[in-house]
Amino acid sequence: MELKRVVITGLGAITPLGNDVETTWKAAVAGESGAGPITHFDASKFKTQFACEVKGFDPNEHFDRKKSRQLDLYAQYALVAAKEAVEDSGLDSEDVDKDRVGVVFAAGIGGLHTFEEEAGYYARHGEEQGPKYNPFFIPKMIADIAAGHISIDYGFRGPNYATVSACASSNNALIDAFNIVRLGMADAIVAGGAEAAIFPAGVGGFNSMRALSTRNDDPKGASRPFSGSRDGFVIGEGAAALVLEELEHAKARGAKIYAEVVGGGMSADAHHITATHPEGLGAKLVMENALRDAGMKPEEIDYINLHGTSTPIGDHGEVKAIKDVFGKHAYEMNLSSTKSMTGHLLGAAGALEALLSVKALTEGIVPPTINHADGDEDPEIDYALNFTFNKAQKREINAVLSNTFGFGGHNAAVILKKYKE
């Protein structure tokens, strides 16, 4: 069976750097941080009191009041990003066969705020009132509901589901979408991820694991991947959506083509429920699998958008894996962690980083890894590698690899190439 070529024809985003794709991209190239004091709740008693929140978002500008009440914040973000991507691609046209368009949309957690509110209300009042839950509790909370809402809004009747693999979730969504389209099971898939976990349960839960940075005196400088003083990740929120489409279908309707998806890899660390493998064995395997799937040699990759969360252990393993896979070529590539600016969007991270990778391909610019200072080195990290510290770099980019690694040892990597006939 001949596999079909798969291209990206639409992009959408709402992130800590901006509420659309272009604003997000410009801020990333400028090396801006999306971090600041938490506003979603009073975090004054928490170890971490800052995050990378979406700013200036008013759901009433996007949904009527009735629908807004039926959507958890994570699903609101998903629908906003999907709308931008669908309109960008032109998939909302009446000429598109909606039976052949699907949605694969990820969330690592889903409606955490809804769960927290409903369970908290019962804990406070259940004994005296008995069980009294909002009828939308379950449909607001479940991690697949964003995909359902997107399909309903546009009448997309193709494959429809969510992928959940912690911080690898939306890279898994992209890989599934890629496979569905190249196998001919659909003409196009709206793929991506959304997350909104900057609430007491999310921040408190990650604090209890000692996963978050506690640099409360310097929120914008807290996410510092590959620097010696890094002390944990900065939690972020938002959504990103990409339209993956079969090449001939896209050409036939005159769609704009941003890039081509050429490979996806998956692996497991089989090591620990939260810590990545210290030698990067799973990370090494996932990159090798992605290259094999793409039919590419390591030296064909120009840029890696790193998982790079700014955790002490995780950054070590990824660097070791890159050196093992790419050898001498590792020193010729650009590497960067855009999480230094966006924070870690958990289940939405892979989709956002793939989107930024697409922009890097089309614009010929590598966004930076910010917050590194001379003298803040980690003796276990090889700084002869080009981490694109602090300032974006222009270069010819023909192929990008984007890594995501999740709690549970889940690893997923995608490879994107500049589109050529």
Side-chain angles (χ1 to χ4, degrees), residues 26 32 60 67 174 184 196 224 257 273 304 317 319 370 379 386:
K26 288 177 182 177
E32 297 177 10
N60 295 317
K67 184 163 185 175
L174 295 174
R224 47 182 62 206
I257 296 175
I273 58 171
I304 299 179
V319 169
I370 66 169
N386 184 1

Side-chain angles (χ1 to χ4, degrees), residues 40-115:
H40 288 336
F41 69 96
D42 180 3
S44 59
K45 295 182 180 179
F46 284 70
K47 293 178 181 177
T48 296
Q49 299 166 11
F50 62 93
C52 284
E53 295 179 336
V54 168
K55 299 159 188 70
F57 175 69
D58 181 357
N60 295 317
E61 294 178 359
H62 303 275
F63 315 103
D64 63 43
R65 187 170 296 180
K66 180 180 178 182
K67 184 163 185 175
S68 181
R69 290 199 300 265
Q70 296 173 5
L71 296 168
D72 184 87
L73 184 59
Y74 102 91
Q76 293 177 7
Y77 290 157
L79 285 169
V80 170
K83 183 175 188 291
E84 185 181 10
V86 169
E87 291 180 354
D88 185 35
S89 72
L91 274 187
D92 51 346
S93 167
E94 293 181 1
D95 297 329
V96 172
D97 182 357
K98 305 299 173 62
D99 289 353
R100 297 279 301 169
V101 180
V103 183
V104 183
F105 222 84
I109 300 174
L112 180 64
H113 184 46
T114 294
F115 182 85

